[in-house]
Amino acid sequence: DWFPFLFRDGPLLIVASGRDTIPVASSIRRLAPENVFVVQIQHPRTRLNRFDLVITPQHDYYPLTPQGQKQVPWFLRRWITPREPPDKHVVLTVGALHQVDSAALRTAASVWHEELQSLPKPLLVTGIGSNPHMGHLAWADAFVITADSVSMLSEACSTGKPVYVIGAERCKWKFADFQERLQKLGMVRPFTGEEDMSETWSYAPLNDTAEAAKKVTEALAERGWSVSMSP
């Protein structure tokens, strides 16, 4: 009885993220395919036609490459990798989606100005107390990040500042593919311990979230829908 009330104000854009949301999101679309547009963030591994759009990093498809096929036993592939190449349902990103963009960094720079602006430069960040993460992203001159964190690397590479990676040479499988993409884009360099942290280099900041949002808006427009914000 509750389901019709979801649509009394018009069609719904539903954005779901993570494996636990897959059955819920796909069930909503099955029950009301004409009234919802379902976006699934992170690859559901199978049956992409259960969603209107899937947003996932390019390295999720690495296991389908010849190199990836050699690294994963055939009986495990169905559990840990997409079965087919991306189709019209799929929007590919370089890294993970997050909330770091130029506007968020400007806000964080203002909020953390008093605490961080007077510290000696170059500023390489850690942190305790109130979560200083956004302030660090805004005020740091460079970052040193372990290779295991796709999300943190994605955020740091969205600042346009130098990013040094520890342990990229140890990465295997799709994580090695992710590191290779970042290096080809000129966003990261390996950390050796002998770096001059005053050295800088430039690259176009990673902008996956905004680009993915644009793809969602375009897909909605094909249906004649537009996104409206609640007052």
Side-chain angles (χ1 to χ4, degrees):
D1 293 336
W2 56 269
F3 204 77
F5 290 98
L6 287 176
F7 311 111
R8 61 188 177 188
D9 295 324
L12 288 181
L13 171 63
I14 296 174
V15 181
S17 179
R19 181 164 297 180
D20 291 343
T21 68
I22 291 173
V24 177
S26 60
S27 294
I28 292 174
R29 184 175 183 272
R30 177 175 55 83
L31 290 169
E34 301 302 320
N35 296 90
V36 297
F37 190 94
V38 177
V39 179
Q40 185 69 36
I41 298 175
Q42 298 181 5
H43 205 290
R45 300 297 185 244
T46 184
R47 293 201 288 177
L48 298 182
N49 59 1
R50 293 187 296 172
F51 310 92
D52 294 292
L53 215 59
V54 170
I55 301 174
T56 194
Q58 296 177 50
H59 58 260
D60 270 355
Y61 281 93
Y62 174 74
L64 295 183
T65 65
Q67 299 91 332
Q69 297 260 329
K70 294 178 182 178
Q71 297 175 22
V72 183
W74 65 267
F75 59 88
L76 290 178
R77 290 174 193 164
R78 63 174 297 185
W79 304 107
I80 59 178
T81 180
R83 299 183 187 182
E84 299 176 349
D87 62 13
K88 64 179 183 179
H89 294 91
V90 180
V91 173
L92 295 177
T93 64
V94 175
L97 301 188
H98 51 76
Q99 299 180 345
V100 180
D101 59 17
S102 58
L105 290 171
R106 286 195 298 270
T107 299
S110 176
V111 170
W112 289 90
H113 179 273
E114 183 176 346
E115 184 167 344
L116 298 179
Q117 67 88 26
S118 61
L119 296 178
K121 299 296 184 82
L123 182 60
L124 188 67
V125 298
T126 55
I128 58 175
S130 299
N131 190 342
H133 183 58
M134 286 299 297
H136 287 173
L137 289 171
W139 280 98
D141 296 293
F143 305 90
V144 177
I145 300 175
T146 54
D148 60 314
S149 181
V150 173
S151 294
M152 190 169 292
L153 282 167
S154 300
E155 290 176 342
C157 289
S158 296
T159 68
K161 302 173 184 177
V163 179
Y164 296 95
V165 181
I166 297 176
E169 71 282 358
R170 295 176 177 267
C171 288
K172 305 292 185 182
W173 194 39
K174 66 177 185 178
F175 302 104
D177 186 62
F178 174 60
Q179 297 294 335
E180 183 178 352
R181 289 182 190 279
L182 295 183
Q183 290 183 23
K184 285 183 176 179
L185 290 169
M187 296 178 174
V188 303
R189 296 180 183 178
F191 180 75
T192 66
E194 299 179 356
E195 285 74 14
D196 177 0
M197 287 301 171
S198 64
E199 180 185 0
T200 62
W201 69 85
S202 62
Y203 56 88
L206 201 58
N207 201 26
D208 280 331
T209 302
E211 292 174 6
K214 180 181 178 182
K215 294 293 186 182
V216 173
T217 301
E218 291 173 351
L220 288 171
E222 290 180 3
R223 282 198 186 181
W225 296 5
S226 61
V227 178
S228 61
M229 305 298 291
S230 300

